[in-house]
Amino acid sequence: MLILTSSDFANEKSKEQIIRNLPGNIKDCRILYFVNENFTRENLEKRAYRDRLKKCGFAKKNIYVFNYDNPEEFDYPELDCIFIGGGNTFKTLQKLRETGADKIIKDYVLNKGVTYIGGSAGAHIACKSIEHIKQFDECPDDFSDFSGLGFFDGILICHYSSAREPYAKKARKEGKFKVFTLKDDEIIVTD
């Protein structure tokens, strides 16, 4: 299952819809958090990332955070959810690829049936392509593979408003992908 949002747990309406679509009670859901490109060991050690999800209702014992500084230590129990929130889409995907986390995520979602929760950058990363995001996020000069994880059949315009309508129209006109829009309080759920 995919749960794609613009604002994930930061928007109350979006948060309620995410919780309603989890594969079980939030207290029982085992979730692995792939932090955006701003990951720091200090925040990991202070448990800042775990605290963010704990405030949403996840049980402390069921929150795991992927350690980009030491991806070899990856050894998580069975999971119910994977979560990637907002940030710079290109830099976050680059970090996932550099550490092999993209392959781990694909294995869990495609082979083990784990629910993928994506907020903004995390939602874009789930799509077939992220190239259209160059209009919104800074793209590193050495970034050339714009393919996303490919879980979602199309592309998203997150944080959609009338100001982003020209970008949606342009993408629709190009016809490379199906184009979907997400306002900050909306979510898309697919099986």
Side-chain angles (χ1 to χ4, degrees), residues 21 33 43 63 68 71 88 102 106 118 122 124 171 178:
N21 284 285
Y33 184 10
N43 281 340
I63 301 170
Y68 292 108
N88 179 295
D102 58 331
K106 284 182 179 181
H124 290 133
K178 297 175 192 171

Side-chain angles (χ1 to χ4, degrees), residues 92-155:
T92 300
L93 183 55
Q94 191 171 45
K95 190 171 255 327
L96 294 172
R97 288 176 176 160
E98 288 170 354
T99 59
D102 58 331
K103 293 173 183 61
I104 293 167
I105 294 167
K106 284 182 179 181
D107 181 51
Y108 270 102
V109 173
L110 299 175
N111 299 325
K112 299 176 181 170
V114 169
T115 296
Y116 179 96
I117 304 167
S120 193
H124 290 133
I125 288 168
C127 296
K128 291 187 177 253
S129 174
I130 61 169
E131 187 169 12
H132 67 290
I133 304 303
K134 288 194 288 186
Q135 299 160 98
F136 311 115
D137 286 357
E138 176 189 343
C139 184
D141 291 336
D142 61 343
F143 196 95
S144 59
D145 179 0
F146 296 100
S147 58
L149 296 175
F151 301 147
F152 184 71
D153 186 21
I155 60 172

Side-chain angles (χ1 to χ4, degrees), residues 76-87:
Y76 302 102
E78 289 188 29
L79 298 171
D80 299 297
C81 304
I82 284 176
F83 170 57
I84 303 174

Side-chain angles (χ1 to χ4, degrees), residues 161-176:
S161 67
S162 59
R164 292 201 173 188
E165 178 55 26
Y167 302 108
K169 276 186 181 178
K170 180 182 177 205
R172 285 185 187 106
K173 187 175 180 182
E174 289 173 354
K176 291 181 189 176

Side-chain angles (χ1 to χ4, degrees), residues 28-96:
D28 299 325
C29 280
R30 296 160 296 186
I31 187 166
L32 175 56
Y33 184 10
F34 289 88
V35 180
N36 67 22
E37 79 281 4
N38 295 318
F39 169 87
T40 66
R41 184 135 193 87
E42 179 184 355
N43 281 340
L44 180 65
E45 289 169 1
K46 288 191 318 189
R47 302 194 178 274
Y49 303 124
R50 283 180 178 82
D51 289 347
R52 177 179 184 220
L53 292 175
K54 189 176 165 197
K55 288 178 188 171
C56 296
F58 290 93
K60 179 179 166 184
K61 67 178 182 171
N62 291 329
I63 301 170
Y64 306 92
V65 180
F66 187 79
N67 184 353
Y68 292 108
D69 288 343
N70 192 9
E72 298 80 30
E73 80 176 15
F74 179 80
D75 184 25
Y76 302 102
E78 289 188 29
L79 298 171
D80 299 297
C81 304
I82 284 176
F83 170 57
I84 303 174
N88 179 295
T89 304
F90 303 105
K91 292 177 182 178
T92 300
L93 183 55
Q94 191 171 45
K95 190 171 255 327
L96 294 172

